[in-house]
Amino acid sequence: MTTEAPSEFSNLETLSTTELLAGLSRLDHTVPQTVAKSLLQIERLVEVTVARLRDGGRLFYIGAGTSGRLGVVDASECPPTFGVPAEMVVGIMAGGDGAIRVAVEGAEDDAEQAWKDLQTHNINAKDVLVGIAASGRTPYVIGGLEQARAAGLATGCVVCNAGSAVAAAAEFPVEVVTGPEFITGSTRLKAGSAQKMVLNMLTTATFIRLGYVRGNKMVDMKLSNVKLVDRGERMLMDELGIEQAEAAQLLKQYGSVRAALDARK
């Protein structure tokens, strides 16, 4: 597995801060090019996700450690960004929500637990399950994907090694082979960055395709703080050619950028 291959750097403790940062930066710069090589795989996963969500399905992520946390982060950012219900994209982590902050030893080794965790969400054949595992060998993820696929769900994954067991368990695998890490085996680095990029692409492209963005604007975003209210007002000002006072009144009256635009257009 290339994610476990020895780092090309050695004696890290002897390097200066400048040298450490330069090395990290050099490797980080390889990530976007590596992700770009997997665009066709990402496209296939987006297309099936769009189709399932359009038909009333949901998107679930499962993972452990950094991979699991990245899934939780991406899922939690979809409602405020796109105005979708919280249950439309759900991140589930080996060891439960407590493992987001404190690692739960051995949780990722239980091949049966992911499917049990998914049952609490009444998962069904309309849904999509994406397993996230840098190594591609996490039993929690493999077991969840295998059982989900057998139950008729669309299954995908994001892994950072080629030819992995996780990829074999998924119908729509995304393999982003990031190579050795700066610190040998520390997949929170390049692999984590690559996974985050892929998840961003997956949900962003999906919700654009589903109509949650107009032009290039988040017209369905939740107006949950002063910054977002200000952004919403500026959207209306740009789109309608009005002053801020009128934009503020429209936003207050209709409750969302989309509703205000539809009312005026």
Side-chain angles (χ1 to χ4, degrees), residues 184-236:
T184 299
S186 182
T187 52
R188 58 181 283 271
L189 300 175
K190 285 194 302 178
S193 296
Q195 290 174 314
K196 173 61 174 167
M197 288 183 67
V198 173
L199 299 182
N200 283 347
M201 290 177 171
L202 172 58
T203 47
T204 301
T206 292
F207 288 117
I208 291 173
R209 290 284 313 282
L210 289 172
Y212 288 92
V213 172
R214 181 177 292 180
N216 58 12
K217 295 179 174 62
M218 298 182 289
V219 293
D220 292 311
M221 67 180 181
K222 291 186 178 178
L223 304 172
S224 56
N225 57 48
V226 172
K227 177 190 73 175
L228 296 180
V229 170
D230 178 69
R231 181 182 297 165
E233 291 173 358
R234 286 186 282 109
M235 286 182 191
L236 293 177

Side-chain angles (χ1 to χ4, degrees), residues 1 3 132-139 142 158-161 163-168:
M1 295 193 304
T3 55
I132 313 168
S135 67
R137 64 179 184 182
T138 308
I142 297 168
V158 184
V159 297
C160 296
N161 284 306
S164 69
V166 167

Side-chain angles (χ1 to χ4, degrees), residues 26 28 61 81 92 107 127 135 152 168 180 187 212 264:
R26 179 162 70 80
D28 284 345
Y61 293 132
T81 303
I92 298 175
D127 298 326
S135 67
T187 52
Y212 288 92
R264 284 297 295 269

Side-chain angles (χ1 to χ4, degrees), residues 23-36:
L24 283 162
S25 179
R26 179 162 70 80
L27 291 189
D28 284 345
H29 273 77
T30 67
V31 173
Q33 292 90 341
T34 305
V35 171

Side-chain angles (χ1 to χ4, degrees), residues 57-76:
R58 299 161 294 169
L59 171 61
F60 288 86
Y61 293 132
I62 54 172
T66 297
S67 297
R69 295 182 185 98
L70 289 171
V72 171
V73 167
D74 192 67
S76 67

